[in-house]
Amino acid sequence: MRPRAAPRRLTINATMMPRFRLLAVAVLVGVALMAGAAQPVVAQGGDSTLARVQRLVNAGNRSGARQLADSLLAAATEGTSEYAEALFARAYASSSAAEAERDYLRVSVEYPLSARAEDATMMVAQLKLARGDRIGARRNFERLVREHPTGGVAGKAAFWAGRLAVEDGDLGRGCASLAEARSRVSAEDVEQLNQIEYYLQRCTPSALAGAAARAKEESTAVAMPGRGGRDVQRPSAPGAGGVEGRDAGRAAPRDGVAPGAARPATEYSVQVAAFPKQRDAEALAAVLKQRGYDVRVWGEKAPFRVRVGRYATREAAVAAQGRMKASRVNGIVVEAEKK
């Protein structure tokens, strides 16, 4: 049996890039919506927020769509399903891929129980992939499968997670994801099944054994003997806890507000995660607190958000986010809740 040929690639020259990027955003949004994974939240008059914005975009009135989404967002209460719907609509109306990704990410992380969370996570993954962030895309595809296993796009997400892992040499996880994708995809989706089978050709026993051996060598290289025969992971760099960690107090005020100064009307935090169960949020907060972070759990009902710090400006929060990322703590910048 001859191996299947790889899907043909599209070649794009430099003059086509600006137009192609905007088109790619629109196409990717359409793909996620056509997946039909979640029913929209219905607005007043039986017409969903997203449907109204979508009609304006399809009619070529993107600025009007953005104005509508902004007005609905201003009228909605943060923390509600209406707010999540308006955020998703604003992302759809955006002409900037970066702004769209930011709003989709907020829906995915801050509103994991909303009807739009699954589609938003898929969009974040696709937009990251479109701009070349393969690691970020793969993490979001894997997260989608993990958090929305019964959703309508879990099979496609498993395929993309597996494909990226296999292409990056992580055959163990890649082949497992591809096998899961094959079990989820309908037998009628011949094109998707053909793509899955093409990448599964690399999952031979000898290839998997070689990948496992390399992974073992790499894990041994980054570990050193510890007490009691255990392996202790080496710190990634001196002061790996970051400026936000145990040594932060000696460097500068954590939140960018000098002692005794009046606090600004709007403050910002770095949100690390949001959980449907409070005990999970508290567990993560306890771990971060041990590392020296100024962490708290916010929310009286699900989702329970894990947030770090209070910063006087968005710029200060973004800087803190960067330092946290260097210490392998990922998060997004959000407006902090009022004290």
Side-chain angles (χ1 to χ4, degrees), residues 2-306:
R2 292 186 303 171
R4 291 182 174 84
R8 184 177 298 175
R9 293 186 176 181
L10 175 65
T11 302
I12 302 168
N13 59 43
T15 60
M16 297 169 60
M17 284 304 296
R19 182 179 299 177
F20 178 78
R21 285 172 181 163
L22 290 179
L23 178 61
V25 173
V27 170
L28 288 174
V29 172
V31 169
L33 294 175
M34 287 189 292
Q39 295 298 320
V41 178
V42 178
Q44 291 183 355
D47 198 6
S48 79
T49 297
L50 183 60
R52 294 157 64 189
V53 170
Q54 188 176 7
R55 283 198 297 270
L56 288 171
V57 172
N58 292 341
N61 188 5
R62 187 174 293 275
S63 62
R66 178 59 184 262
Q67 290 176 3
L68 173 59
D70 284 339
S71 66
L72 293 170
L73 195 62
T77 302
E78 188 171 359
T80 64
S81 59
E82 289 79 9
Y83 195 88
E85 177 79 358
L87 267 178
F88 192 95
R90 186 172 72 174
Y92 185 93
S94 178
S95 59
S96 163
E99 291 181 358
E101 183 178 334
R102 181 190 64 196
D103 283 342
Y104 284 131
L105 185 60
R106 286 193 63 188
V107 176
S108 174
V109 174
E110 296 185 45
Y111 299 90
L113 303 181
S114 77
R116 294 295 178 193
E118 182 181 2
D119 286 343
T121 306
M122 174 62 86
M123 289 307 307
V124 170
Q126 290 176 325
L127 287 169
K128 285 183 179 295
L129 183 60
R131 62 179 172 84
D133 183 2
R134 295 172 62 88
I135 295 176
R138 178 179 159 189
R139 286 175 178 170
N140 278 276
F141 284 129
E142 291 174 344
R143 176 170 168 246
L144 195 156
V145 176
R146 184 173 62 252
E147 296 184 2
H148 304 278
T150 60
V153 296
K156 293 182 182 296
F159 163 70
W160 277 103
R163 172 178 172 173
L164 292 174
V166 167
E167 289 178 342
D168 292 341
D170 188 354
L171 286 183
R173 295 177 66 177
C175 294
S177 292
L178 289 170
E180 182 174 2
R182 183 170 56 182
S183 69
R184 289 176 176 274
V185 173
S186 168
E188 298 176 355
D189 194 348
V190 178
E191 178 64 25
Q192 183 73 80
L193 287 173
N194 284 341
Q195 292 178 349
I196 294 171
E197 293 298 335
Y198 170 77
Y199 285 96
L200 276 172
Q201 291 177 117
R202 306 189 193 184
C203 300
T204 62
S206 59
L208 288 170
R214 288 192 298 272
K216 184 176 181 180
E217 291 176 359
E218 291 173 359
S219 64
T220 303
V222 298
M224 61 182 179
R227 295 181 180 178
R230 295 182 180 179
D231 285 341
V232 180
Q233 187 175 358
R234 294 181 186 272
S236 57
V243 176
E244 305 304 305
R246 292 186 174 90
D247 296 331
R250 293 196 292 269
R254 287 186 182 182
D255 56 6
V257 179
R263 305 198 71 86
T266 301
E267 295 180 306
Y268 300 89
S269 295
V270 179
Q271 182 163 305
V272 178
F275 295 94
K277 296 182 179 180
Q278 186 173 9
R279 66 171 180 268
D280 294 333
E282 296 288 356
L284 176 59
V287 172
L288 293 175
K289 187 168 292 185
Q290 288 180 352
R291 294 182 59 180
Y293 288 97
D294 178 19
V295 62
R296 65 190 182 279
V297 174
W298 177 67
E300 296 181 356
K301 60 181 181 179
F304 298 96
R305 302 169 176 88
V306 181

